[in-house]
Amino acid sequence: GRLKDIDVLGYFPDPDRYRAAEPALREVCGKIAVARIERVRKIVDALIEHGVRISVEDLLPPGKPVEGVIGRKHIAIAVFARNRGRFQDQQQIFDELLGDGCPADVPIGFQLTLAGAAELIHRCDGIAILAHPGVSNGKPPDPEKGRDLMRAAFEVGFDGAEGHYTYDQNRPYGRDHAID
């Protein structure tokens, strides 16, 4: 399967080299932010096409700067609030509309590859670490997918992988794991 939704840690031991490369890091982060906002717009359009009451303004209020990342979980919360009585819970929204392969499953237009992430971190004289490989690209935790992901990351230049992660405390699994 395709690798996606992977968290990466970049540790920067040399502040001067980091500052010299910071514009490149900011440029990539800007591209990701623009692509995520465009994704929100496309998801809203797809939801409206399926008779869901929602607007871009519910998620991106005019005149208010975007803080943080607006993901599918935030969209499910807004859909649930605007469509009282139509959905039993947010999980139903995910199962029918927002989840992988569903009508409003819209990929992010610009995504950094594993190789691109490692290269960018190394350009900043940083150390590229794969975060919680047992949970990335396979939820709930899947050790086999985690090992495959680590192999892929090391092949493209990652320096290490997170060795201990409190899955039960940081990513509780159960009925709601899909809206993570």
Side-chain angles (χ1 to χ4, degrees):
R2 193 173 151 257
L3 299 175
K4 64 180 187 174
D5 299 328
I6 298 166
D7 294 339
V8 173
L9 305 170
Y11 294 105
F12 303 100
D14 184 335
D16 292 331
R17 295 227 13 216
Y18 168 76
R19 277 191 284 283
E22 188 178 7
L25 186 61
R26 287 190 182 281
E27 179 183 343
V28 169
C29 289
K31 287 180 182 178
I32 293 169
V34 167
R36 291 191 70 93
I37 289 170
E38 184 58 30
R39 177 188 189 214
V40 168
R41 294 179 192 287
K42 289 178 179 179
I43 290 173
V44 167
D45 290 345
L47 290 170
I48 291 169
E49 284 180 27
H50 283 82
V52 174
R53 289 182 46 228
I54 189 77
S55 72
V56 171
E57 291 76 18
D58 292 333
L59 300 157
L60 301 167
K64 184 178 175 193
V66 177
E67 293 182 21
V69 173
I70 298 172
R72 293 183 297 178
K73 179 178 182 176
H74 303 98
I75 295 169
I77 291 168
V79 166
F80 189 70
R82 286 279 313 264
N83 295 268
R84 294 276 181 214
R86 178 169 175 185
F87 300 100
Q88 179 182 346
D89 54 24
Q90 293 168 24
Q91 186 63 49
Q92 181 185 1
I93 297 164
F94 238 85
D95 293 344
E96 294 176 10
L97 297 165
L98 292 173
D100 292 345
C102 290
D105 176 22
V106 176
I108 300 169
F110 174 83
Q111 296 183 28
L112 195 56
T113 64
L114 279 175
E119 189 277 327
L120 183 61
I121 292 168
H122 290 148
R123 189 178 342 158
C124 296
D125 199 34
I127 300 165
I129 304 295
L130 181 64
H132 47 75
V135 112
S136 295
N137 202 46
K139 301 173 187 172
D142 183 330
E144 185 177 331
K145 286 184 179 181
R147 284 189 289 278
D148 291 345
L149 179 56
M150 285 195 302
R151 275 197 274 305
F154 291 137
E155 284 176 12
V156 297
F158 271 69
D159 303 299
E162 189 172 39
H164 178 73
Y165 184 79
T166 52
Y167 294 101
D168 59 329
Q169 294 173 12
N170 293 311
R171 296 215 180 193
Y173 293 94
R175 181 158 159 65
D176 293 338
H177 82 273
I179 62 172
D180 195 12

